[in-house]
Amino acid sequence: MKLSENTSVSHVKIIDLPVVTDARGDLTFLEGERHVPFPIRRVYYLYNVPVDAERGGHAHRELEQVIFALSGSFRITVDDGDEKAEYWLRNPRKGLYINRLIWREMDSFSQGAVCMVLASLPYEEADYLRDYDEFLKSARGM
Ligand code: T46
């Protein structure tokens, strides 16, 4: 299985947000259905993450998300069942859009990293695929 940065794992892409810069600093903004391709139903964030922590390790049946590093950096490995790709998030202007049925793993958090996630649906444990073989069956339509 191939593993490289920014390759063709389907339904994953970097979203570039606008920035307004002046002498007071940078301001970035986003609107649901304009800058991200869904109405935003939930926001959550990860912080105080130990540098050796591994998060994720699941896919979602229906949920779409956009993931940002608001501060610091971390790695996300995505897998559509055929191909894997890895992304390093470190720029608060660049989010990673992840569609449904994509396995994701997150690690290599820098000290003090803050990860913000915009989600298309409220939290629902039944939406998670936490078993990799079960994910593969769903991703391959079996
Ligand atoms: C994802 C990655 C990037 C809630 O009660 N409400 C919520 O909105 C969320 C996101 C989580 N939780 C509970 C469920 C678990 O008992 O928080 C606990 C930790 O969640 P989890 O182990 O799923 O955390 P991560 O960091 O592995 O995954 C999270 C999201 O769950 C997931 O959708 O894609 O961040």
Side-chain angles (χ1 to χ4, degrees):
M1 188 176 281
K2 213 156 76 180
L3 177 57
S4 51
E5 182 149 356
N6 299 0
T7 53
S8 58
V9 166
S10 55
H11 304 119
V12 176
K13 65 179 180 189
I14 291 287
I15 292 179
D16 282 293
L17 295 178
V19 61
V20 181
T21 299
D22 63 27
R24 299 168 297 171
D26 295 337
L27 184 155
T28 282
F29 57 92
L30 63 90
E31 298 173 10
E33 297 180 275
R34 180 177 170 208
H35 300 98
V36 302
F38 51 76
I40 299 163
R41 302 281 308 281
R42 177 165 52 109
V43 179
Y44 62 91
Y45 32 96
L46 310 174
Y47 52 101
N48 293 335
V49 180
V51 295
D52 58 353
E54 297 177 356
R55 305 202 63 122
H58 57 256
H60 287 280
R61 299 176 195 276
E62 298 298 334
L63 187 72
E64 298 170 65
Q65 302 195 103
V66 184
I67 302 178
F68 294 92
L70 289 190
S71 184
S73 61
F74 52 87
R75 177 173 65 173
I76 306 183
T77 303
V78 290
D79 173 355
D80 65 8
D82 288 321
E83 262 199 287
K84 285 187 184 183
E86 65 175 35
Y87 293 82
W88 286 88
L89 294 187
R90 53 172 69 90
N91 181 339
R93 282 183 59 194
K94 290 183 186 292
L96 185 66
Y97 169 76
I98 303 181
N99 206 338
R100 59 190 290 269
L101 295 179
I102 300 288
W103 191 266
R104 83 287 316 268
E105 293 172 359
M106 305 163 70
D107 62 11
S108 302
F109 288 84
S110 66
Q111 190 76 44
V114 178
C115 165
M116 179 186 74
V117 184
L118 311 177
S120 64
L121 294 169
Y123 174 73
E124 175 65 73
E125 183 57 35
D127 187 66
Y128 285 73
L129 289 162
R130 294 190 185 272
D131 178 83
Y132 188 75
D133 290 334
E134 193 188 345
F135 154 69
L136 281 183
K137 285 183 191 160
S138 297
R140 293 173 178 171
M142 295 157 61

